[in-house]
């Protein structure tokens, strides 16, 4: 809650989201929470809500992605997307627009207000590249994402972008309902 800049007053919602995700994904609450700590540290500058951090973490835990590796890759991904958007020119920016399906203006505005949505669209775009027989690894390199962990984790998340989307959706619903506890 400190990393997501939320007050102690939201602890019940946080707990409800955590329990709901643990009940509905192939991950325990402790696995989700362990990954969430690392993810939250990496995305603190992007103002993600705790529900989004927990949703991403539940998806990664259910796909067998380890805490430290998952947190590192999420951090690198958000940093790379931010860097490409700040430049707003060049092949990396054009590729990011293509992957997310957003216009230049939409991409910039959406990332500023809902970075998680842009990341989710990015994963869906990578999944489409894979389904169409393209190289996910080359696509990642085009937007400045390289490394063993990146090439292991992002293609997994992209191929199961449906799980990421479902986890984020459930987290949002559980946050509104606040009844899973």
């Amino acid at each position: 809650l400190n990393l997501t800049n939320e007050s102690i007053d939201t602890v019940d919602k946080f707990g409800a989201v955590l329990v709901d995700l643990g009940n509905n994904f192939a991950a325990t609450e402790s696995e989700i929470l362990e990954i969430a700590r690392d993810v939250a540290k990496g995305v603190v500058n992007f103002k993600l809500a705790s529900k989004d951090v927990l949703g991403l973490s539940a998806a990664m835990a259910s796909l067998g992605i380890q805490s430290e590796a998952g947190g590192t890759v999420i951090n690198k991904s958000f940093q790379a997307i931010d860097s490409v958007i700040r430049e707003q020119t060049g092949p990396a920016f054009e590729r990011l627009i293509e992957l997310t399906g957003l216009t230049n203006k939409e991409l910039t505005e959406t990332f500023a207000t809902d970075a998680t949505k842009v990341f989710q669209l990015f994963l869906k775009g990578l999944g489409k590249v894979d389904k169409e027989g393209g190289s996910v690894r080359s696509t990642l390199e085009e937007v400045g994402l390289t490394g063993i962990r990146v090439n292991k984790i992002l293609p997994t998340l992209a191929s199961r972008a449906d799980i990421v989307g479902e986890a984020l959706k459930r987290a949002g619903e559980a946050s509104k309902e606040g009844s899973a506890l």
Side-chain angles (χ1 to χ4, degrees):
L1 292 175
N2 283 335
L3 290 170
T4 57
N5 200 29
E6 295 173 53
S7 71
I8 195 69
D9 296 340
T10 63
V11 75
D12 288 340
K13 280 187 178 185
F14 179 87
V17 172
L18 182 60
V19 168
D20 186 272
L21 292 169
N23 289 341
N24 290 287
F25 287 86
T28 65
E29 286 85 348
S30 62
E31 291 169 331
I32 296 167
L33 194 55
E34 185 177 337
I35 293 173
R37 277 189 220 113
D38 287 326
V39 169
K41 287 178 211 172
V43 296
V44 69
N45 295 333
F46 302 104
K47 298 174 180 48
L48 270 66
S50 61
K51 67 179 177 60
D52 294 328
V53 170
L54 289 171
L56 289 170
S57 301
M60 287 191 289
S62 70
L63 293 170
I65 296 169
Q66 298 301 310
S67 169
E68 187 178 310
T72 298
V73 170
I74 294 296
N75 179 29
K76 281 185 166 188
S77 300
F78 277 78
Q79 294 289 343
I81 291 169
D82 182 52
S83 178
V84 168
I85 289 173
R86 286 180 187 276
E87 289 179 24
Q88 292 217 355
T89 59
F93 187 64
E94 293 303 319
R95 188 64 161 149
L96 190 57
I97 287 172
E98 181 185 330
L99 289 168
T100 61
L102 300 172
T103 66
N104 177 337
K105 184 178 179 182
E106 290 171 334
L107 179 60
T108 304
E109 290 175 358
T110 304
F111 193 72
T113 59
D114 189 357
T116 305
K117 181 176 181 178
V118 171
F119 180 68
Q120 187 178 1
L121 291 170
F122 174 69
L123 290 177
K124 284 182 182 179
L126 289 174
K128 185 178 177 187
V129 166
D130 186 46
K131 284 178 187 168
E132 293 175 353
S135 171
V136 173
R137 186 177 188 165
S138 295
T139 303
L140 290 169
E141 287 175 5
E142 289 176 34
V143 293
L145 286 163
T146 60
I148 294 169
R149 286 182 175 175
V150 165
N151 288 319
K152 212 175 190 185
I153 293 172
L154 285 179
T156 300
L157 290 174
S159 70
R160 295 312 315 262
D162 59 321
I163 289 177
V164 175
E166 180 59 28
L168 289 167
K169 180 180 173 188
R170 280 205 74 89
E173 290 169 356
S175 178
K176 286 178 188 167
E177 293 169 10
S179 63
L181 284 174

